[in-house]
Amino acid sequence: MIAQVETKTYTAQEYLELEINSQDRHEFINGEIVLMAGGAPNHNEITSILNAILRVSLKGKPYSIFASDQRLWVPHLNNYTYPDVMVVARPIELQSGRTDTITNPLLIAEVLSKGTKAYDRDEKFAAYRSIPSFQEYLLIDQYRLQVEQYSKTDANKWIFSEYSCMGDRLTLTSIPVEISLADLYENIEFGE
């Protein structure tokens, strides 16, 4: 007989109190606190490049760009997460009573890892879709040249586009930005 390991369930308040004093970042999903793994070099470089492209493209426009360390609250599920890159229309909206948790993302990008890609495509995307301001989702593969774009066209309607050639240009629908895959994947080396 295999012994069952009991998982402790936390309240959102307990999570927030623990997270403030933690050296590591954690997501809060359905009452469970989940340690976020450190990113691989490709993951971090792609996140950094995307952040730079967005920052330059949106200079002087009414948007804020956040990378990796900005907490997002998903109110419908009472979950907390840290998207790899998030664009927010100004003014920034914060969770009531908090100064560190955003509630109004417009665009979210996740760089896929082997351990999180299924979650990012399924449960996490479903959670993000419950946020009224959320309009666009990018899933960027760090192991091969591939970007998946999901653009909201109407309530409960999303269009899927896929890019996998170095010459492809990705036009974002939620913000006035076009991204060249050659720029996004500059100096990225894909392993075996």
Side-chain angles (χ1 to χ4, degrees), residues 37 39 51 110 113 139 158 171-172 181:
N51 186 49
E110 297 285 5
S113 301
L139 295 172
W158 292 78
T171 300
L172 299 177
L181 262 65

Side-chain angles (χ1 to χ4, degrees), residues 89-101:
R90 290 191 206 120
I92 295 169
E93 296 175 16
L94 298 172
Q95 181 183 13
S96 179
R98 307 283 321 162
T99 60
D100 56 1
T101 307

Side-chain angles (χ1 to χ4, degrees), residues 72 87-94 102-106 131 133-134:
L72 170 67
V87 177
V88 176
R90 290 191 206 120
I92 295 169
E93 296 175 16
L94 298 172
I102 298 232
T103 64
N104 65 319
L106 190 59
I131 301 171
S133 63
F134 179 57

Side-chain angles (χ1 to χ4, degrees), residues 144-189:
R144 63 189 171 123
L145 188 75
Q146 182 172 345
V147 177
E148 299 172 22
Q149 176 188 29
Y150 297 87
S151 304
K152 188 174 184 177
T153 60
D154 204 350
N156 302 317
K157 292 183 182 177
W158 292 78
I159 291 178
F160 168 73
S161 302
E162 187 172 23
Y163 305 88
S164 58
C165 295
M166 198 59 86
D168 286 346
R169 299 189 68 78
L170 165 64
T171 300
L172 299 177
T173 60
S174 61
I175 53 177
V177 174
E178 185 176 89
I179 300 170
S180 157
L181 262 65
D183 290 341
L184 183 62
Y185 282 98
E186 182 181 13
N187 297 323
I188 300 297
E189 296 180 16

Side-chain angles (χ1 to χ4, degrees), residues 3-188:
Q4 294 270 340
V5 177
E6 189 173 318
T7 304
K8 181 175 178 0
T9 302
Y10 294 86
T11 67
Q13 188 60 38
E14 288 171 323
Y15 158 76
L16 290 168
E17 288 171 11
L18 290 169
E19 191 70 359
I20 287 171
N21 298 314
S22 178
Q23 297 281 344
D24 300 312
R25 289 183 302 129
H26 302 82
E27 291 189 341
F28 180 73
I29 303 159
N30 300 323
E32 185 177 344
I33 296 175
V34 181
L35 177 65
M36 295 184 64
N42 276 2
H43 184 283
N44 289 328
E45 185 140 13
I46 291 167
T47 299
S48 179
I49 291 168
L50 178 59
N51 186 49
I53 290 169
L54 292 171
R55 183 130 332 261
V56 169
S57 299
L58 295 174
K59 183 176 182 178
K61 295 184 172 67
Y63 302 99
S64 293
I65 301 111
F66 300 98
S68 299
D69 287 331
Q70 182 58 60
R71 186 171 46 240
L72 170 67
W73 181 46
V74 181
H76 178 69
L77 300 171
N78 199 27
N79 287 354
Y80 294 87
T81 184
Y82 291 88
D84 289 326
V85 176
M86 181 170 41
V87 177
V88 176
R90 290 191 206 120
I92 295 169
E93 296 175 16
L94 298 172
Q95 181 183 13
S96 179
R98 307 283 321 162
T99 60
D100 56 1
T101 307
I102 298 232
T103 64
N104 65 319
L106 190 59
L107 175 141
I108 295 174
E110 297 285 5
V111 179
L112 299 176
S113 301
K114 288 186 188 328
T116 64
K117 67 183 176 181
Y119 172 63
D120 287 343
R121 279 193 181 105
D122 187 24
E123 290 177 56
K124 193 179 253 187
F125 185 30
Y128 290 160
R129 287 193 313 264
S130 73
I131 301 171
S133 63
F134 179 57
Q135 299 293 309
E136 191 163 18
Y137 194 41
L138 299 179
L139 295 172
I140 304 167
D141 200 311
Q142 68 173 304
Y143 306 106
R144 63 189 171 123
L145 188 75
Q146 182 172 345
V147 177
E148 299 172 22
Q149 176 188 29
Y150 297 87
S151 304
K152 188 174 184 177
T153 60
D154 204 350
N156 302 317
K157 292 183 182 177
W158 292 78
I159 291 178
F160 168 73
S161 302
E162 187 172 23
Y163 305 88
S164 58
C165 295
M166 198 59 86
D168 286 346
R169 299 189 68 78
L170 165 64
T171 300
L172 299 177
T173 60
S174 61
I175 53 177
V177 174
E178 185 176 89
I179 300 170
S180 157
L181 262 65
D183 290 341
L184 183 62
Y185 282 98
E186 182 181 13
N187 297 323
I188 300 297

